[in-house]
């Protein structure tokens, strides 16, 4: 074989080797891009999942109008509905949700004592209405019932209607209070409440914004759940030794001075 032919074959082999190296480099870059793209997709999915998880369970507030406080509401931002005399020496602050079973249990156990003490002028109860169950389970029953209770306050019938709502509370998962017709029907159990003014207030959601504002105050207060019951600022609902009789004893002792 001539020297010329040997040089030609060697050059061809070198060119082939160079091409193979180029191909390997290209394949490596392609694999790197594929892996990188896969990582980006996985991270992107993780980010989406993270956003969903971060928002799970957050309160889903409806777009309510301005915060129109019911007649006679008192306290900071007029968020408390008072029951009892202003001059009472003891104040019970109650944060409640009309869909909350624990709130109903509290009301059933303590209602006779609270009525007795407020009627005697020894205790003043300040009710704050929230919509915790709406956020936890979905629906609008907590909001609708709270608005209706505020409408009853406008009519001077809050306590009676408040008691009817808890006595008629549906199961926690049943959003029956979301229906204004149901709330108006229950108003028929309170003498003189079912009036055109009350119906209009319920149907228009007059106090929806006020209920939302009250709920925001509940969240800002860092309370653990409903009911939250404070006697002169001290959480008595967390005291497992508390009973209606013990509450009455404390209130009467304070009343005597």
């Amino acid at each position: 074989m001539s020297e010329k032919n040997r040089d030609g074959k060697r050059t061809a082999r070198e060119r082939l080797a160079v091409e193979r190296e180029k191909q390997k480099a290209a394949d490596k870059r392609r694999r790197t891009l594929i892996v990188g793209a896969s990582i980006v997709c996985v991270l992107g999915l993780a980010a989406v999942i993270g956003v969903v998880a971060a928002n799970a369970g957050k309160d889903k507030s409806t777009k309510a109008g301005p915060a129109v406080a019911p007649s006679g509401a008192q306290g900071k931002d007029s968020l408390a509905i008072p029951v009892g005399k202003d001059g009472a020496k003891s104040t019970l602050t109650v944060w409640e949700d009309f869909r909350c079973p624990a709130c109903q249990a509290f009301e059933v156990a303590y209602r006779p004592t609270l009525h007795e003490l407020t009627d005697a002028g020894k205790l003043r109860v300040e009710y704050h209405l929230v919509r915790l169950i709406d956020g936890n389970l979905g629906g609008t029953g907590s909001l609708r019932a709270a608005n209706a209770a505020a409408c009853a306050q406008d009519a001077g019938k809050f306590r009676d209607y408040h008691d009817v709502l808890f006595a008629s509370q549906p199961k926690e998962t049943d959003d029956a209070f979301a229906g204004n017709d149901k709330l108006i029907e229950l108003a028929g159990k309170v003498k003189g409440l079912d009036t055109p003014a009350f119906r209009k207030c319920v149907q228009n959601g007059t106090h929806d914004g006020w209920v939302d504002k009250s709920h925001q105050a509940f969240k800002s207060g860092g309370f653990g759940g409903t009911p939250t019951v404070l006697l002169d600022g001290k959480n008595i609902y967390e005291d497992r030794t508390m009973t209606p009789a013990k509450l009455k004893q404390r209130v009467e002792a304070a009343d005597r001075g």
Side-chain angles (χ1 to χ4, degrees), residues 89-236:
K89 293 184 179 179
S90 295
T91 299
L92 194 72
T93 303
V94 183
W95 296 82
E96 288 185 322
D97 183 324
F98 287 111
R99 289 179 69 186
C100 165
C103 297
Q104 183 194 48
F106 169 78
E107 286 295 333
V108 169
Y110 283 81
R111 181 181 299 137
T113 300
L114 297 185
H115 284 192
E116 178 186 350
L117 293 172
T118 53
D119 289 346
K122 298 176 181 179
L123 177 68
R124 169 189 171 87
V125 183
E126 295 182 348
Y127 289 98
H128 296 259
L129 308 182
V130 300
R131 47 175 311 192
L132 192 64
I133 306 301
D134 286 356
N136 291 343
L137 297 181
T140 58
S142 301
L143 172 63
R144 299 262 51 77
N147 172 70
C151 295
Q153 169 67 12
D154 288 337
K157 307 283 186 179
F158 172 79
R159 189 174 84 169
D160 289 344
Y161 188 62
H162 164 275
D163 293 350
V164 166
L165 287 175
F166 276 117
S168 308
Q169 185 187 77
K171 291 183 179 180
E172 188 177 14
T173 54
D174 180 1
D175 197 25
F177 283 168
N180 287 333
D181 290 344
K182 176 67 175 178
L183 297 169
I184 291 172
E185 175 190 333
L186 291 174
K189 296 185 177 185
V190 178
K191 185 178 180 180
L193 179 56
D194 187 6
T195 63
F198 174 79
R199 290 186 172 219
K200 182 179 179 181
C201 182
V202 171
Q203 292 167 344
N204 290 351
T206 300
H207 301 297
D208 283 359
W210 175 82
V211 176
D212 276 346
K213 191 170 184 178
S214 178
H215 182 70
Q216 290 302 319
F218 171 78
K219 294 199 313 185
S220 298
F223 301 118
T226 53
T228 291
V229 185
L230 311 173
L231 178 61
D232 296 325
K234 184 177 180 180
N235 194 329
I236 63 168

Side-chain angles (χ1 to χ4, degrees), residues 42-60:
V42 171
L43 292 176
L45 178 60
V48 171
I49 293 172
V51 170
V52 172
N55 285 284
K58 286 189 175 180
D59 177 49
K60 302 175 182 65

